[in-house]
Amino acid sequence: MDLNLPEPDFSFFEMLYLSFSNIRRRFLRSLITALGIILGIAFMAALLTSSLILGAMQAESGVEAYQFWLVGISLVVCFGGITNSMLMAVNERVKEIGVYKCIGGLDSHIVRLFIVEALLLGILGGGIGGVLGIIFGFIINLNRFSFDEMSVVLQNNSIILIALLLLSLLISMVLTALATYIPARRAANLSPAEALRYEN
Amino acid sequence: MSLVEHVVEIEDVHKTFIMGKIKVYALQGVSFKIKREEYISIMGPSGSGKSTLFNAIGGLDVIDSGEIYIDQVDIAELDATELAWLRNRKIGYIFQTFNLLLAFTAQENIEIPMVFAGVSREERRKRSKELLKIVGLSDRARNKPGQLSGGQQQRVAIARALANDPAIVLADEPTANLDLETGLDIIELLRNLNKEKGTTIITATHDLKMISISDRIIWIRDGLVDRIEDRADVEIGTVD
Ligand SMILES: Nc1ncnc2c1ncn2[C@@H]1O[C@H](COP(=O)(O)OP(=O)(O)OP(=O)(O)O)[C@@H](O)[C@H]1O
Ligand SMILES: [Mg+2]
């Protein structure tokens, strides 16, 4: 057998195309996964925005302890939500991983395919979730402070808000990638027959 | 070097499934050789080990002991990349349950093995169209598996198996989920492939219609080769 292995490497563009097709074609399922990410990130961003506003308004009394708790909880919810969404999304697709392996996909290709897909969802979810969260964090304080008061606070802290958006994106991307990498790697390590047999 | 070229050679293959305390001896020392361009049917009762053997020959599952040579290469010696290459170029797989990628159209399903093989986009388009034509589905290129009948899905799967022009096509009960007529079409397709391109075909099957076109039939029982028959012998006598 002539094993002159012509690089089975395929371009990043192909990868993006396959991932994008997968998201588009499983649109509803992808939407639900993205929604999980958006909710987690939005929850976190809303609480962080809210405590930013509260902190600025009550400068004299300082940030109260319960706000730290809230932010802590929001992080846990966000981590849990995203991880859960992604784990479920991969778990549903172990058989598909088996098919990719049968037609000659390298483990690394398959894992990369899933990660690129997860990152696309992560960027989308993190971006939308961050923006929604900031808006929501603003709205939940409307009964306490006036619109104008809060606008001033946000304008004065615009750098922090941008940092918050970037943080949302970063957390979302890291978590989606990680929560995809681990189960996808594990599934790709199965023999093709085992992956095809897999029942979820 | 032997005079007869064996494209598949398996020797004393064992595979045991362990589920808790229960051991299932699915393959208990199977050996045979398959020549290039042969059409082989592996037959036997349900649970006799046909699918396990299919997975073993195709390098889809690890075996416990024994040797499997594909073109004189011991596949146990291959690393992950080489195995992927084998599955990508050397062997085409056809399954009872089709195993198409549901998110992609018929044409894309055929193209994905070519994507893994690094074939250019234009070349993929061209080749997948040819293959769709061969399996008689030119008008269904843009349909997804969910929009195709079982027989049509199996044709797409056959076209996909042929994407990188494999030397061997392995099929595990390719007609089991199809009605009689459609099953005959699929068998016809496999037979033409064997006759025209000289592709070695190995099918695990219950389907007695396969017998008349097989060069040899390997009968499996309880994880062992029961007997191997040439077509000539079978056609005269009656079958089980
Ligand atoms: N993953 C598995 N775990 C445990 N036992 C298994 C597994 N796969 C197969 N077996 C057992 O191994 C034996 C052989 O199974 P196999 O699927 O190879 O039979 P088969 O000849 O293909 O049957 P059929 O004609 O019904 O497809 C059976 O007793 C089966 O129960
Ligand atoms: Mg079987």
Side-chain angles (χ1 to χ4, degrees):
Chain A
M1 178 159 62
D2 53 310
L3 270 184
N4 58 333
L5 291 163
E7 265 315 290
D9 217 27
F10 57 105
S11 68
F12 182 72
F13 182 75
E14 305 282 13
M15 189 95 69
L16 214 57
Y17 172 74
L18 287 181
S19 299
F20 187 70
S21 306
N22 255 321
I23 292 178
R24 211 180 61 209
R25 275 150 188 163
R26 309 170 76 246
F27 186 71
L28 220 60
R29 190 62 190 81
S30 303
L31 204 67
I32 292 169
T33 309
L35 220 60
I37 301 169
I38 291 173
L39 280 178
I41 293 288
F43 189 59
M44 181 199 71
L47 284 176
L48 284 175
T49 308
S50 176
S51 63
L52 172 74
I53 294 171
L54 288 176
M57 293 301 193
Q58 309 162 329
E60 50 304 337
S61 63
V63 182
E64 288 174 46
Y66 80 92
Q67 287 170 5
F68 285 114
W69 277 107
L70 274 180
V71 170
I73 291 170
S74 78
L75 279 173
V76 171
V77 169
C78 166
F79 276 46
I82 292 179
T83 312
N84 184 47
S85 298
M86 298 318 288
L87 287 180
M88 272 173 35
V90 176
N91 198 47
E92 279 169 7
R93 297 172 68 188
V94 174
K95 233 190 112 159
E96 193 180 325
I97 291 178
V99 174
Y100 279 119
K101 291 195 73 157
C102 285
I103 57 180
L106 279 171
D107 295 1
S108 58
H109 286 158
I110 298 167
V111 171
R112 257 187 283 166
L113 208 62
F114 275 70
I115 294 219
V116 170
E117 198 179 319
L119 282 177
L120 289 178
L121 285 181
I123 293 170
L124 188 82
I128 295 177
V131 172
L132 283 182
I134 290 171
I135 294 173
F136 202 68
F138 189 86
I139 292 173
I140 52 176
N141 284 305
L142 273 179
N143 61 346
R144 259 192 274 195
F145 311 111
S146 77
F147 186 91
D148 294 334
E149 277 178 307
M150 287 196 290
S151 299
V152 174
V153 173
L154 293 188
Q155 268 159 27
N156 291 342
N157 291 293
S158 55
I159 304 223
I160 296 185
L161 286 183
I162 290 170
L164 181 56
L165 263 182
L166 290 179
L167 180 75
S168 298
L169 270 178
L170 187 75
I171 290 182
S172 170
M173 285 168 70
V174 169
L175 281 184
T176 48
L178 212 64
T180 300
Y181 176 80
I182 294 167
R185 183 80 245 173
R186 209 174 45 210
N189 274 340
L190 296 173
S191 73
E194 282 170 332
L196 286 177
R197 264 199 303 267
Y198 188 86
E199 299 288 339
N200 38 280
Chain B
M1 286 294 288
S2 54
L3 279 177
V4 183
E5 209 186 342
H6 289 116
V7 67
V8 175
E9 233 180 296
I10 78 169
E11 264 173 51
D12 201 27
V13 169
H14 286 80
K15 172 85 185 177
T16 305
F17 293 105
I18 299 171
M19 298 178 296
K21 289 208 159 125
I22 306 166
K23 286 187 175 177
V24 182
Y25 300 97
L27 299 177
Q28 313 194 54
V30 177
S31 308
F32 54 74
K33 295 174 181 184
I34 295 173
K35 293 189 278 283
R36 196 169 294 286
E37 307 197 2
E38 265 194 310
Y39 192 122
I40 298 285
S41 286
I42 297 172
M43 296 209 164
S46 185
S48 56
K50 300 183 297 294
S51 296
T52 311
L53 188 57
F54 168 92
N55 289 333
I57 298 174
L60 299 183
D61 214 348
V62 285
I63 54 172
D64 299 333
S65 66
E67 275 127 55
I68 295 168
Y69 297 91
I70 304 288
D71 271 358
Q72 339 281 323
V73 173
D74 182 353
I75 63 171
E77 309 269 297
L78 302 180
D79 65 22
T81 312
E82 291 165 331
L83 263 179
W85 184 90
L86 183 91
R87 296 179 192 130
N88 188 228
R89 322 273 176 106
K90 198 82 193 173
I91 304 178
Y93 306 88
I94 302 168
F95 302 89
Q96 177 177 350
T97 50
F98 321 133
N99 286 339
L100 296 171
L101 293 167
L102 303 179
F104 296 96
T105 64
Q107 183 167 352
E108 285 167 336
N109 264 282
I110 300 168
E111 284 187 27
I112 291 173
M114 296 188 249
V115 173
F116 288 137
V119 177
S120 76
R121 204 184 171 86
E122 302 77 53
E123 183 61 28
R124 293 202 310 256
R125 285 289 122 83
K126 189 165 146 267
R127 181 136 177 79
S128 57
K129 289 218 171 87
E130 282 168 17
L131 286 166
L132 277 166
K133 198 166 160 216
I134 292 173
V135 298
L137 282 180
S138 293
D139 53 337
R140 296 311 202 113
R142 293 175 165 281
N143 288 102
K144 286 186 214 161
Q147 303 163 328
L148 299 173
S149 72
Q152 289 169 334
Q153 289 186 55
Q154 194 59 299
R155 285 156 191 272
V156 175
I158 292 177
R160 178 183 68 183
L162 302 180
N164 291 323
D165 212 359
I168 304 163
V169 167
L170 271 177
D172 190 8
E173 314 219 19
T175 58
N177 276 347
L178 307 175
D179 63 49
L180 186 80
E181 194 74 15
T182 319
L184 280 170
D185 288 348
I186 297 296
I187 292 174
E188 175 79 11
L189 209 54
L190 290 175
R191 190 242 287 271
N192 287 343
L193 181 67
N194 174 247
K195 287 277 167 301
E196 285 160 22
K197 297 196 69 181
T199 309
T200 306
I201 301 209
I202 306 170
T203 65
T205 184
H206 283 298
D207 193 338
L208 297 178
K209 296 190 293 294
M210 288 276 193
I211 288 184
S212 62
I213 58 164
S214 306
D215 295 314
R216 286 191 297 154
I217 299 115
I218 299 176
W219 295 88
I220 302 282
R221 185 177 293 276
D222 299 330
L224 283 166
V225 175
D226 190 32
R227 60 187 193 279
I228 299 181
E229 289 174 325
D230 282 349
R231 178 175 56 211
D233 306 334
V234 182
E235 272 174 344
I236 305 162
T238 49
V239 188
D240 264 17

